[in-house]
Amino acid sequence: MERESTLKQIWGSLSQNKGAMAGLVIIVILAIIAVIGDSIAPYDPEYSDMTACFVAPCAEHIFGTDQLGRDIFSRVLSGTRISLTVGIIAVSISLTIGTVVGALAGYCGGKVDMVIMRIMDMMLAVPSILLAITFMAALGKGIDKAVIAIGLVSIPEYARIVRGSVLSMKQNEFVQAARVMGNKDSVIIFKHILPNILSSIIVRATLGISTAVLDTAALGFLGLGVQPPAAEWGDMLGRSRSFI
């Protein structure tokens, strides 16, 4: 019953936020395309036919073909799976780390809060895409490196949301009662506080997936993300701009 009430609270928060609902609808559509993309793709996204380069949109190639004769529509469908996978994993990384860091800062307060939040402020002072490029320069190219970089740059957003929620939540009577009963701080944080602020975190994570997808495309456009011959939206744009 407690789990059902939590799920209802989460859904209530989502349904009241138009941006979150729009993001949820887009994610569901992209998830469906990612699952069935290979079965509905008319061609192999990595198959190259040099005799059919730059074919205009037609019945056989509804999006046309690229400079290597690959079907663009098939590559867009394949890129959906890559972009959505990177977005979900990156958000999972930033959500997990940001939640733990923000909860510690909000619950402990004092010097712990000051040190953690100053680090978060320094990260927020730099635009996320520039910070992601910096991480990519240190980690190297590749989809796995892009996931880590995008996940790291989003940590401050979740940390600040969780910290603020924990600061207000820890003053409630049930938290004080749990502390008087001798519960450990870790138990109070993860069993009593975090479940009550889960709805706001999930709403932010839903919107954060779209941001992660855009960051993935930006890194791919710069040649730092997914490497050829894999299909990825940003990489496709970056390699085609010289032919416009």
Side-chain angles (χ1 to χ4, degrees):
M1 294 297 294
E2 182 179 352
R3 184 176 181 181
E4 291 182 0
S5 61
T6 302
L7 292 175
K8 289 182 179 180
Q9 184 181 4
I10 293 172
W11 175 249
S13 298
L14 281 172
S15 60
Q16 293 176 4
N17 189 314
K18 295 182 179 179
M21 289 301 297
L24 181 61
V25 170
I26 293 173
I27 290 172
V28 170
I29 293 174
L30 291 177
I32 294 173
I33 294 175
V35 172
I36 67 174
D38 290 337
S39 60
I40 63 176
Y43 299 93
D44 183 345
E46 298 181 8
Y47 175 72
S48 177
D49 183 5
M50 297 304 294
T51 62
C53 299
F54 296 117
V55 173
C58 59
E60 294 183 355
H61 304 280
I62 59 176
F63 283 4
T65 62
D66 63 8
Q67 69 273 19
L68 298 178
R70 297 173 296 191
D71 183 66
I72 295 178
F73 179 67
S74 300
R75 290 180 63 77
V76 168
L77 293 179
S78 178
T80 302
R81 182 176 63 255
I82 295 176
S83 296
L84 189 61
T85 301
V86 172
I88 292 175
I89 297 176
V91 167
S92 299
I93 293 173
S94 57
L95 176 62
T96 301
I97 300 176
T99 298
V100 173
V101 170
L104 288 175
Y107 186 81
C108 297
K111 293 183 179 180
V112 175
D113 181 26
M114 183 183 67
V115 172
I116 291 177
M117 296 316 298
R118 293 301 76 76
I119 295 175
M120 297 297 103
D121 289 341
M122 286 189 290
M123 294 179 66
L124 286 172
V126 182
S128 60
I129 188 61
L130 294 181
L131 193 58
I133 292 173
T134 303
F135 284 129
M136 290 295 293
L139 298 172
K141 299 179 180 179
I143 185 172
D144 53 338
K145 312 298 191 306
V147 169
I148 296 173
I150 296 172
L152 291 177
V153 300
S154 301
I155 290 175
E157 299 178 16
Y158 296 98
R160 291 177 69 88
I161 292 174
V162 173
R163 173 184 176 271
S165 299
V166 170
L167 282 174
S168 60
M169 189 65 64
K170 73 176 184 179
Q171 304 299 328
N172 289 347
E173 293 181 357
F174 70 89
V175 176
Q176 303 295 335
R179 187 179 294 113
V180 171
M181 292 174 63
N183 288 313
K184 295 181 179 180
D185 291 339
S186 58
V187 174
I188 296 175
I189 293 174
F190 293 102
K191 186 177 180 179
H192 297 285
I193 296 180
L194 288 184
N196 287 283
I197 63 175
L198 196 59
S199 57
S200 60
I201 300 175
I202 292 180
V203 169
R204 182 62 190 87
T206 304
L207 298 174
I209 293 177
S210 60
T211 303
V213 170
L214 288 175
D215 288 342
T216 303
L219 292 176
F221 185 82
L222 297 173
L224 298 174
V226 179
Q227 299 300 300
E232 193 276 322
W233 296 338
D235 180 72
M236 292 169 62
L237 289 173
R239 296 181 183 277
S240 301
R241 59 177 174 171
S242 60
F243 301 104
I244 298 177

